[in-house]
Amino acid sequence: MAKDSRPKSAAIRREKKGPQTGSGGQGRRALRGKGPTPKAEDRVYHKAHRDKMLADRAAAKTRSSQPRQRGSGFGAEDMVAGRNSVLEALRERVPAKELHVATDVESDGRVREALQFAAEAGVRVREVTRRHLDNSTGGAVHQGLALLLEPYDYVDVLDLAENELERAAKGHIPHQPLFLACDSITDPRNLGAMLRAASAFGAHGVLIPERRSAGVTATTWKTSAGAAARIPVARAKNLTQALKEAKQLGFFVLGLDGGGDISLQNIELAQEPVIIVVGSEGKGLSRLVRETCDQIVSIPISSATESLNASMAVGISLYEIAMRRQGARP
């Protein structure tokens, strides 16, 4: 018998290619099911997975950019803080939601009186921790007492103008309507000071735009020393358009500016229906508002002073008109 000249390894490989009696259990694993097919968004190689990851990342970024709510969930601008301020707000019947009182507050006459006014006005009293008050008032000096205000109820510009003209025609008010309009006044403290001046010198209302303007918040009310509860504030979608519509009703619009056409002491329209317009301290009157004004009025000041604070300019102007209406000026 001839000897097999092939290498031994080749012979072995040929023997392995022959029929086998079984797989030794290895085929069982191959036949086992792999379960349900994963969703497209769960397969890392699929486009849907990438879209889902991008959407989740965008949602997380949006959530992180949103301001966290403090305390009661209302902003600090809605809270009047401090015993004197809270008591004054309750006395003026400023619409309020809740009176927040610290659980460990040391009671005095102001606290007791605030509780009494709250009970008479039907304002809910809520005991809270000092930490809660710190958060909800934005770190203000609250003295264990804070008042959560209702949203301010603005009036319509044209309704206010027509109503005051009608009251003047019927003799219900001694002079023609006098309004203050605020062009881009973004500081609520400035707005509050202007409300205070408007109330002090006989103005019948204040006009503010909806955009790029401070609103009547707790800070505004506190700075106004209660005047925000006594003088109506109207909000206009477009201040320039509102001024034009008021002019059609018979109002004269006077803008305040350091480089005005006429000096305050020389104005001749004090007895007419008048709207005094003040601009922001940085930019002054906006171009469209300036073009809408009938006159641009300046206040004479010393050359050593560059300009006046906006609220101070408002107070001086309203005082001058008030004096002229009372006959104290020629």
Side-chain angles (χ1 to χ4, degrees):
M1 183 176 181
K3 185 177 180 180
D4 190 351
S5 60
R6 292 175 300 173
K8 187 176 181 180
S9 58
I12 295 173
R13 284 199 299 270
R14 179 165 182 170
E15 290 175 1
K16 288 186 176 180
K17 288 184 179 179
Q20 298 180 2
T21 57
S23 65
Q26 297 178 7
R28 189 181 306 163
R29 187 180 299 112
L31 295 174
R32 185 180 301 165
K34 296 182 179 180
T37 303
K39 294 181 180 179
E41 61 187 22
D42 294 333
R43 286 179 256 167
V44 295
Y45 53 84
H46 201 283
K47 180 181 179 296
H49 177 77
R50 180 176 177 275
D51 293 342
K52 179 186 177 184
M53 294 295 292
L54 291 175
D56 290 345
R57 190 179 307 167
K61 184 176 180 181
T62 301
R63 288 192 298 269
S64 63
S65 64
Q66 291 176 346
R68 296 178 61 188
Q69 291 184 337
R70 295 181 169 191
S72 63
F74 293 89
E77 67 273 11
D78 299 318
M79 302 290 288
V80 175
R83 299 187 183 191
N84 290 333
S85 299
V86 168
L87 183 55
E88 187 175 359
L90 289 168
R91 280 176 177 166
E92 293 292 339
R93 300 290 182 179
V94 174
K97 289 177 177 289
E98 293 177 339
L99 175 62
H100 292 186
V101 184
T103 52
D104 59 347
V105 67
E106 294 183 5
S107 181
D108 62 6
R110 292 171 297 177
V111 173
R112 290 191 293 271
E113 196 170 357
L115 291 170
Q116 181 180 350
F117 276 119
E120 293 174 355
V123 176
R124 177 187 173 190
V125 178
R126 181 181 173 192
E127 281 193 317
V128 297
T129 64
R130 285 190 176 270
R131 183 175 181 179
H132 177 99
L133 283 174
D134 291 340
N135 291 334
S136 62
T137 60
V141 180
H142 51 73
Q143 301 170 303
L145 213 60
L147 187 66
L148 176 60
L149 302 183
E150 294 275 6
Y152 186 81
D153 187 16
Y154 296 97
V155 300
D156 180 77
V157 175
L158 287 183
D159 287 347
L160 178 63
E162 292 174 349
N163 183 59
E164 293 303 316
L165 286 171
E166 184 178 353
R167 291 179 65 204
K170 293 181 178 180
H172 295 167
I173 54 178
H175 304 288
Q176 291 295 330
L178 173 62
F179 293 152
L180 170 67
C182 301
D183 181 19
S184 302
I185 301 298
T186 57
D187 188 340
R189 289 177 291 272
N190 260 351
L191 178 59
M194 293 176 188
L195 289 174
R196 188 173 185 177
S199 177
F201 298 122
H204 301 94
V206 176
L207 317 181
I208 63 174
E210 285 186 359
R211 300 177 59 191
R212 294 185 294 274
S213 174
V216 181
T217 64
T219 301
T220 306
W221 184 91
K222 186 174 181 179
T223 310
S224 76
R230 298 188 294 270
I231 186 167
V233 179
R235 215 171 195 177
K237 290 184 178 180
N238 185 302
L239 182 60
T240 302
Q241 184 61 33
L243 293 175
K244 290 179 179 179
E245 292 173 349
K247 288 175 67 172
Q248 293 176 358
L249 294 176
F251 281 85
F252 291 91
V253 180
L254 307 180
L256 298 181
D257 189 90
D261 310 323
I262 186 173
S263 174
L264 178 63
Q265 58 193 6
N266 296 325
I267 61 172
E268 299 177 350
L269 299 171
Q271 304 297 338
E272 304 295 333
V274 170
I275 301 176
I276 298 290
V277 188
V278 60
S280 64
E281 293 181 27
K283 298 181 180 179
L285 297 172
S286 60
R287 180 181 61 84
L288 293 178
V289 168
R290 175 185 286 271
E291 293 173 356
T292 306
C293 294
D294 296 298
Q295 290 181 342
I296 303 298
V297 181
S298 63
I299 301 174
I301 58 176
S302 168
S303 58
T305 304
E306 182 178 351
S307 62
L308 293 174
N309 174 279
S311 60
M312 182 180 294
V314 167
I316 293 172
S317 302
L318 293 177
Y319 173 77
E320 180 66 23
I321 292 178
M323 291 298 98
R324 289 177 179 271
R325 289 187 167 191
Q326 294 173 13
R329 296 280 194 276

